[in-house]
Amino acid sequence: MKRAVILPPLKSSFDEVFDAIEKQTNSQTPELLTHGHILFVAQAKRTRDGRRFLALPQGNRIYEDDWGFRNNGIGKDGQRIDHYAVSIDHWAKRL
């Protein structure tokens, strides 16, 4: 699957975002808005084998290798994550 990069590029690294979220109460962001004006919360979590990811609504996830792409690597075509990632990135840069 070929994945498109988010443009303009995200300003924060996955490490910066994950650490910022993990430091928040319950390891989650406050309510954020997508560019489509949908409220959501992202949580910093780890898989059983220790891989870090951001848990999003509807079972979507952003793993480190997905950061900066419009879709993640889950499933045939991936799940759309750019509308979450851009909002998370903006929030992280304000901290």
Side-chain angles (χ1 to χ4, degrees):
M1 167 182 61
K2 184 176 178 177
R3 296 193 293 172
V5 175
I6 295 172
L7 294 174
L10 301 176
K11 297 184 186 313
S12 305
S13 69
F14 183 84
D15 289 336
E16 291 169 327
V17 168
F18 189 90
D19 291 345
I21 295 172
E22 198 169 44
K23 290 176 184 172
Q24 302 299 307
T25 303
N26 298 323
S27 295
Q28 67 183 34
T29 64
E31 283 190 326
L32 302 174
L33 272 177
T34 67
H35 56 263
H37 305 289
I38 305 297
L39 286 172
F40 75 97
V41 171
Q43 292 182 291
K45 294 188 170 189
R46 296 176 191 271
T47 62
R48 290 182 188 166
D49 64 3
R51 290 176 294 142
R52 301 176 305 160
F53 68 94
L54 305 179
L56 305 167
Q58 300 165 346
N60 288 347
R61 293 181 174 193
I62 301 175
Y63 288 94
E64 187 169 2
D65 291 344
D66 299 323
W67 190 249
F69 290 99
R70 294 180 56 133
N71 291 29
N72 64 19
I74 298 173
K76 180 181 175 194
D77 297 321
Q79 300 165 322
R80 186 167 168 233
I81 57 170
D82 61 326
H83 52 296
Y84 298 120
V86 169
S87 296
I88 294 166
D89 185 57
H90 288 153
W91 169 79
K93 288 315 261 181
R94 290 192 305 257
L95 294 179

